[in-house]
């Protein structure tokens, strides 16, 4: 399909009359799609089209009261700001909204909250800076990196491990097989 001068003129005429891109594509026929019409209109830099003659301007009345949908007595739905939220029950638990990615209950886990553990006290003379770290020292950061009191643990770490025994327990948690 090529854009001949006659087709371009017809496109301009129909566009200024207020026809939609789909309607123009139907009139032009021969493989012309809505997207082809929209693309040509943009390339020609045609101004916004006229309002169709059949459309009348919409007069907005005074503020309308909002509609409220009452919740059914059976309990199968819940009113939320005028919208109905349907509840479906599969396996006993109600579901709301999109459920395609819902985690099944047997895979659901509770968030693990680590017990509050006091920070390991490191004497000032054993505290290390970034440049003092090596393969055998604990690289656990302590404090605010933007403050002068920031340091690394510096205790002896196991071979191939980044942290000492104390900080390894804080960094790595074993998940119970029952919870997975």
């Amino acid at each position: 399909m090529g854009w001949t001068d006659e087709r371009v003129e017809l496109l301009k005429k129909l566009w200024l009359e207020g026809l939609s891109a789909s309607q123009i594509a139907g009139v032009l026929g021969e493989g012309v799609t809505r997207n082809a019409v929209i693309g040509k209109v943009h390339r020609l830099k045609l101004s916004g089209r006229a309002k169709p003659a059949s459309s009348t301007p919409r007069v907005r009345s005074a503020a309308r009261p909002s509609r409220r949908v009452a919740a059914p007595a059976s309990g199968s739905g819940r009113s939320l700001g005028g919208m109905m939220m349907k509840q479906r029950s599969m396996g006993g638990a109600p579901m709301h909204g999109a459920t395609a990615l819902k985690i099944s209950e047997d895979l659901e886990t509770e968030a693990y909250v680590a017990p509050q553990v006091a920070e390991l006290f490191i004497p000032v003379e054993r505290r290390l800076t970034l440049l003092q770290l090596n393969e055998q020292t604990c690289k656990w950061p302590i404090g605010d990196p933007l403050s002068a009191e920031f340091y690394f643990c510096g205790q002896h770490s196991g071979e191939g491990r980044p942290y000492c025994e104390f900080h390894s327990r804080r960094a790595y948690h074993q998940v119970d097989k029952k919870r997975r």
Side-chain angles (χ1 to χ4, degrees), residues 63-160:
R64 294 182 272 177
S66 64
R67 284 192 211 174
R68 296 267 178 188
V69 179
S74 66
S76 64
R78 181 171 48 145
S79 177
L80 183 66
M83 296 188 327
M84 282 298 289
M85 289 185 63
K86 292 184 180 179
Q87 294 180 353
R88 284 184 264 152
S89 182
M90 291 178 66
M95 293 186 289
H96 303 281
T99 58
L101 301 176
K102 183 182 183 302
I103 298 173
S104 65
E105 292 174 20
D106 56 330
L107 293 178
E108 232 173 276
T109 60
E110 295 178 15
Y112 175 76
V113 179
Q116 288 293 343
V117 179
E119 184 59 51
L120 184 64
F121 176 74
I122 312 291
V124 177
E125 61 273 1
R126 301 220 31 208
R127 296 176 183 181
L128 299 180
T129 65
L130 180 64
L131 297 175
Q132 296 170 324
L133 294 176
N134 60 39
E135 291 180 12
Q136 289 83 29
T137 57
C138 178
K139 295 157 187 73
W140 188 270
I142 300 174
D144 181 10
L146 298 177
S147 71
E149 292 86 34
F150 179 73
Y151 60 96
F152 291 90
C153 170
Q155 299 285 332
H156 179 72
S157 61
E159 182 146 346

Side-chain angles (χ1 to χ4, degrees), residues 1 3 21-22 24-26 28-39:
M1 189 265 346
W3 286 102
S22 298
I24 295 171
L28 292 174
E30 294 181 26
V32 177
T33 64
R34 172 185 167 274
N35 286 342
V37 171
I38 292 170

Side-chain angles (χ1 to χ4, degrees), residues 28-78:
L28 292 174
E30 294 181 26
V32 177
T33 64
R34 172 185 167 274
N35 286 342
V37 171
I38 292 170
K40 191 65 174 176
V41 165
H42 285 291
R43 287 190 299 278
L44 293 171
K45 296 185 175 132
L46 296 178
S47 62
R49 63 176 188 254
K51 295 275 185 192
S54 64
S55 72
T56 57
R58 228 173 141 184
V59 178
R60 197 111 189 164
S61 62
R64 294 182 272 177
S66 64
R67 284 192 211 174
R68 296 267 178 188
V69 179
S74 66
S76 64
R78 181 171 48 145

